[in-house]
Amino acid sequence: MAAAAQLFEEPFDADEYIERLAWRTPGGGSKGGAEAFDPKRLLDEFQNHIEELKQLDERIQRRVEKLEQSCHREAKEFAHKVQDLQRSNQVAFQHFQELDEHISYVATKVCHLGDQLEGVNTPRQRAVEAQRLMTYFNEFLDGDLRSDVFNNPDKIKEAADIIQKLHLIAQELPFDRFADVKAKIASKYHDLERQLIMEFTQAQRNGEIGRMHEVAAVLLHFKGYAHCVDVYIKQCQDGAYLSNDVFEDTARLCQRVNKQVGEVFSSPETVMAKLIQSIFDNQLQAHVKEKLDEARHSDVEQYLKNLYDLYSRTAQLTNKLAEFNLGSDKHTFLARLTKNIFSGYLENYIDMERQYLQSRSAMILQRYYESKNHQKRPLGTGSMLELKEKIRQRTNLTLGASIDMHGETLLSQEVVVNLLQETRRAFERCNKLSDPADLPKNAFSIFLLLVEYLCVEHIDYALEIGHIGIPTGDAKNANLYFLDVVQQANTIFHLFDKQFNDHLMPLISSSPKLTECLHKKKEVIEQMEVKLDSGIDKTLNCMMNQMKQILATEQKKTDFKPEDENNVMIQYTTACSKVCTYVTGQVERVRRSMDGKNVDTVLAELGVRFHRLIHEHLQGYQYSSMGGMLAICDVAEYRRCAKDFRVPLVLQLFDTLHALCNLLVVAPDNLKQVCSGEQLTNLDRTLLHAFVQLRGDYRGSRLARHFT
C-alpha cells in the first residue's frame, strides 16, 4: 500500500497511474521485461490493488467524518465566544455613554464656574484699571508726576497707553472745573506723541524696522499717527531722486518701500497709496510742469514731444505701481492721479496738435517749392490761369506767361515721407493723449489735414500743373512728363493708403467716424482719377499729334509711287522707322509710369489710336505695285511694334490692316478670293473698296468691275 501511495503523487493522472501499476507488477509489462507477459498475474495484482484502494477509501472517509465533527464542535464554541464578546462590548458601550454624560456634566459646571469667575474678575480688573488711572489722574491734578512710568524713558510705551486713556477721560470732564488738569493731560499727551514720532524718525534713520513697528503700533491710537506716516513718507523720499530720470527713481523707491511698509504698519496698503499720491503731487507734477511750461509757448513741436513722452512714461509707471497692494480700487486711484497732473495740458491738446501739423505741413511744402524756384499758383477747376493756357494752346496768343515746368513733376517722395511721418507721429500722440470718447473725432481731424496738404496741396496741385503743362500737338520734341507725374502720384498714393490702413484704421474702426473717413478717401481718389484720366487722354492726343508730325514731315508721296520701280532697296520707309521708334519709347514709358490693369487699359487706348492714325495715313496715298509692297512692309513693321503693347486687340487690328494692304498688290483676278479670306470677310465692303481705290491701276475698268 505504501507503493500505491507513491502512485498518487500530484498531479494525478488515471492513465499514468495504471501504467505505473502494471510496470511495477512482475510479468505485467507489455515488452522489454525480464519475464514474459502474464495476464493472470496482472489481473490478480489489479484485484488486490482494488481491494487495497477500497480499504484506503474507508479509512479516509472515517477520518473526514471525524474532522467534520471536530469542525462543527469548534464552530459552535467560536459562536458562543462571539456572543459573549458582543454582550461585553454592549456593557462597555453603556459604561462609555454614562462616562460621557458625566464628563459633559462636569464640563458644564466648569464653564459655569468660569463665567462666574470672569463675571467677578472683569469688574475687579476694571476697578483696578480705574483705580490705577485715578491715581495717575490725581498726580496730574496735584501737578506732581511722581510715578516712574512718566519719568522713565524706557517705559514710554506704558506711559503712552496711560496718557491716551487719560486724554479720552479728560474729554468728558467739564471744562470749568477741570480746565487745569485737562491742559496738563493734553500737554503730556502731545509731549509723548512728539517723543514717539521723534523715536520713530530716529529708528527709521537707523533702519530699525522692529522698533519702527512697535512705535507705529503705539501711535496708531494717537491723533499724530497720520503725522507719523507723513514723516515716514518724507524720509523715504530723501535722497531718492538723485538721477535725471524721475520715473526710474520713483519705480525703484516704491519697489524698496513696498517691501518694508508691510513690516512697519498695520495697514500697508494705505501708507503705500499715500506715498504714491505724495510722489505724484510733488515730484512728478513739478517735473511735468518744468518740462511742458518751458516749451508750451516757445516750441510747439518740442512741447508735443515732451507731452507724449511724459504721458507715456507716466502710464508705464502706473502699470508698474498697479502691481503693489494699494487697496481694492487701485486702477481708478492711479488714473485719478495721472489725470490731476495732465488734465490742464490735455484739454486743448488736439487744438495744438492740429495747429502744429498745419503749420509744419505748410512749411514742408513751402520749402520744397522754394527749392524748385517755383511760385505756387492758385489753381483749381475753371481757374483763370487754366483758361489762359487753353487759349494760348489753341490760338498761339500770348496771354501772360505760359506754364513750362521743363519736365519737373512738382512731386517729391521726400516731401511725402516728411508729411506722412509728421502725421504718423500725430496719430500716435492722438491715440495716447486723447480721451477714448474723443479719439475717433480727433483722429479724423488729423486725417483731414493729411488730405488737405498731401492730397490737395501737393498731389492735386501737381496734377493740375501737369495737366495744364501738357504740350500742344504742334510742339516739336514735346516732353510728355505728365506720365512721370502719374507714376509719382501712383507711388505716393500707395504710401498714403498704407498709412490710412496702418495708423488711422485702428483708431476709428469701431466708431461712426469710419464711414466718414472711407467716404472722404473715396472722394479724394475719385477726384484724382478724373484728373489722371483727363491728363492721360490729353497726353495720348499729344502722342498722336507727334506721330502725325513725323508722318507729315518724313513720309513722301514718292515713297509709295517711286519713279523707278526697279530701284527700291529699302525694307520700310523712314517715316515708319521714326514712328515705330517713337511708339516703342512711349510704350516703355507708359509701362514705367503705371501698374496693374492701368497699364493694359492705357496701352489698349494708345494702340487703338495708333492703329487709327496709321489706317487714316495710308488712305492718303496712291500706290504702285512696288509702293504697295513697301506699304505692306511698313505695316508689317507697325505690327511688330504693336506686339510690344501685349494687347491682343491691338495686334488683331494691325493684322487686319496688314491683310487690307495686301489688296494693294494682289492680282485683279484674285481680289475676290482675297476679300473673302478669314481676316477680311467680316469687314465692310465699302472699306475694302476704299483700299482697292488706292491702287495706281484702279482707274482701269477691270478692277472696278470686281466691286460693282
Side-chain angles (χ1 to χ4, degrees), residues 437-457:
D438 297 330
L439 177 58
K441 178 183 67 175
N442 294 345
F444 181 65
S445 66
I446 293 174
F447 172 67
L448 291 180
L449 289 177
L450 177 63
V451 170
E452 178 182 353
Y453 285 95
L454 176 62
C455 299
V456 178
E457 295 294 332

Side-chain angles (χ1 to χ4, degrees), residues 158-172:
E158 298 176 24
D161 180 62
I162 294 170
I163 201 66
Q164 194 266 338
K165 294 177 180 178
L166 289 176
H167 186 264
L168 292 176
I169 294 172
Q171 302 298 318
E172 304 296 328

